[in-house]
Amino acid sequence: MVAADSEGPEDRSFRMYRRERSIPLRGSAAALSNNLSVLQLPASDLMHFGVVHGPSAQILSSAPGGMPLAQRQLQVKVGVGVSPPLITQVHWCVLPFRVLLVLTSHRRIQMYESDGSLMVYWHALDSGDASSAQTLFARGIAASVHFICVGTWSGRILVFDIPAKGTNIVLNEELAGHQTPITDIATERAQGQDGVADMVTADDSGVLCVWRSGTVFTLLTRIPGFGVPCPSVQLWQGMVAAGYGNGQVRLYDATTGALHVQISAHARTICALDLAPEVGKLLSAAEDTFVHIWKLSRNPESGSIEVEHCHGECVSDTQLCGARFCDPSGCSFAVTGYDLAEILRFSSV
């Protein structure tokens, strides 16, 4: 296991990104981890952004230069005279045959067509197994093959079977592997390889579970926590990248659960991780105002996981709450912050 530190001589890192035109929001982003979703469809030049603000989610479209083109507000549907519940996350799920926008809240899960124009399914959270002191919510969203997986307050993961079209969405199974609320879920296409880990889930206690998807999901590895939450997690080529409440980024082998690299990446809680799958870039953002870009690789001789720091960006006086790459090659990324009424954009120099 190798420990690394994000601080060091200036020549360890070089400036790779510059600030671009920001995209205005109607309200600031809520102080929630992973509070930014980005969608870029190959057939379109438009970029789509999703941000949570209290009981509403803002869905925005922009031209390549950052010019905002359209905005839509989504809320959880409730009865007349009832205040809408707080939204916990909004996320686009890219399936092989369709794209759905998924919204989670303190009351239910809602799925929409990709532009948010039509709700195709909703699922009410069941309070039957919750004590009176527990707050119901769903959080953690990811697509796996023809499934959409959503985490819950109870630690269970709901697996929904998604048809190629239409509204015949069904709850396929519930996965049990966590004892505390789910914080995040990440998936990677296994490309037909049998037995390959293609989903990882994280919870408030820092426990990670690695799964293989299929008609029945199989738990492959359980990586124990160490006393701090894991707000964000990613999966890439057999590596699990986990960001923790103490500012650490840890890289594990997905098959064995072995810890390979531990990075003192940030001074405060990590709020978001993201991966650019084509090049193995890892983005980390935290409440300490910093965004870092890392390059992941495997040593061809030893097979060990290696990491290199590529770029650091400070968003002054801002508690970051979301960050995502805007393309699979990691040439650009976007950032949101609490009490910041805009999405900040950065692109490679």
Side-chain angles (χ1 to χ4, degrees):
M1 189 266 290
V2 177
D5 198 303
S6 64
E7 297 180 356
E10 288 297 323
D11 60 1
R12 287 188 183 179
S13 177
F14 52 93
R15 188 163 189 82
M16 297 178 62
Y17 298 86
R18 65 173 180 268
R19 179 86 172 264
E20 298 287 0
R21 177 177 181 167
S22 299
I23 300 174
L25 295 170
R26 291 179 179 173
S28 66
L32 301 168
S33 297
N34 306 306
N35 192 3
L36 176 64
S37 186
V38 176
L39 174 69
Q40 183 186 36
L41 297 176
S44 171
D45 289 334
L46 297 181
M47 192 76 66
H48 306 278
F49 301 90
V51 181
V52 173
H53 175 70
S56 65
Q58 301 179 63
I59 309 302
L60 307 93
S61 299
S62 73
M67 174 70 71
L69 300 177
Q71 289 200 27
R72 186 186 299 272
Q73 297 274 102
L74 298 179
Q75 290 189 328
V76 175
K77 303 293 185 181
V78 291
V80 177
V82 180
S83 299
L86 294 176
I87 295 173
T88 52
Q89 191 176 4
V90 61
H91 184 72
W92 276 282
C93 289
V94 181
L95 300 152
F97 42 80
R98 70 192 295 188
V99 179
L100 292 181
L101 178 65
V102 182
L103 183 153
T104 57
S105 73
H106 284 260
R107 187 163 297 179
R108 63 192 215 173
I109 300 161
Q110 296 181 175
M111 300 185 187
Y112 298 81
E113 295 293 356
S114 61
D115 62 357
S117 61
L118 177 66
M119 186 168 65
V120 297
Y121 178 79
W122 64 271
H123 175 86
L125 299 179
D126 184 5
S127 60
D129 58 351
S131 69
S132 59
Q134 285 183 303
T135 300
L136 276 64
F137 63 87
R139 179 179 62 191
I141 309 165
S144 178
V145 196
H146 57 89
F147 300 103
I148 288 179
C149 302
V150 180
T152 67
W153 82 98
S154 67
R156 289 183 173 269
I157 299 110
L158 308 181
V159 181
F160 298 94
D161 195 346
I162 310 298
K165 59 182 180 179
T167 61
N168 189 28
I169 297 171
V170 297
L171 178 61
N172 188 65
E173 66 174 315
E174 297 186 22
L175 306 180
H178 296 271
Q179 303 300 315
T180 59
I182 301 298
T183 53
D184 196 21
I185 303 176
T187 57
E188 181 183 32
R189 291 187 183 180
Q191 299 177 340
Q193 302 176 59
D194 292 336
V196 173
D198 58 4
M199 185 172 83
V200 59
T201 53
D203 69 25
D204 266 344
S205 69
V207 170
L208 308 178
C209 289
V210 182
W211 309 82
R212 182 180 69 244
S213 66
T215 306
V216 176
F217 281 61
T218 304
L219 178 60
L220 300 177
T221 310
R222 193 171 190 270
I223 301 171
F226 55 97
V228 295
C230 178
S232 196
V233 69
Q234 289 292 327
L235 180 63
W236 182 72
Q237 294 190 0
M239 307 178 203
V240 173
Y244 291 93
N246 61 357
Q248 288 184 357
V249 172
R250 293 189 173 196
L251 303 177
Y252 301 91
D253 185 282
T255 302
T256 65
L259 175 62
H260 281 244
V261 179
Q262 176 179 304
I263 310 167
S264 297
H266 294 273
R268 297 189 66 184
T269 297
I270 290 177
C271 64
L273 294 182
D274 196 24
L275 264 162
E278 291 184 357
V279 293
K281 287 181 182 177
L282 176 70
L283 177 154
S284 65
E287 295 178 1
D288 63 359
T289 75
F290 277 93
V291 179
H292 289 295
I293 309 291
W294 316 84
K295 180 69 173 66
L296 308 184
S297 61
R298 278 193 183 270
N299 186 298
E301 296 180 359
S302 65
S304 62
I305 299 172
E306 298 180 344
V307 60
E308 176 188 3
H309 184 244
C310 300
H311 178 80
E313 191 76 43
C314 177
V315 183
S316 300
D317 303 320
T318 302
Q319 178 184 323
L320 302 183
C321 52
R324 291 281 178 183
F325 283 117
C326 298
D327 59 274
S329 60
C331 293
S332 58
F333 66 90
V335 177
T336 57
Y338 175 64
D339 208 24
L340 186 67
E342 58 184 347
I343 299 173
L344 306 181
R345 298 169 55 250
F346 300 84
S347 65
S348 56
V349 176

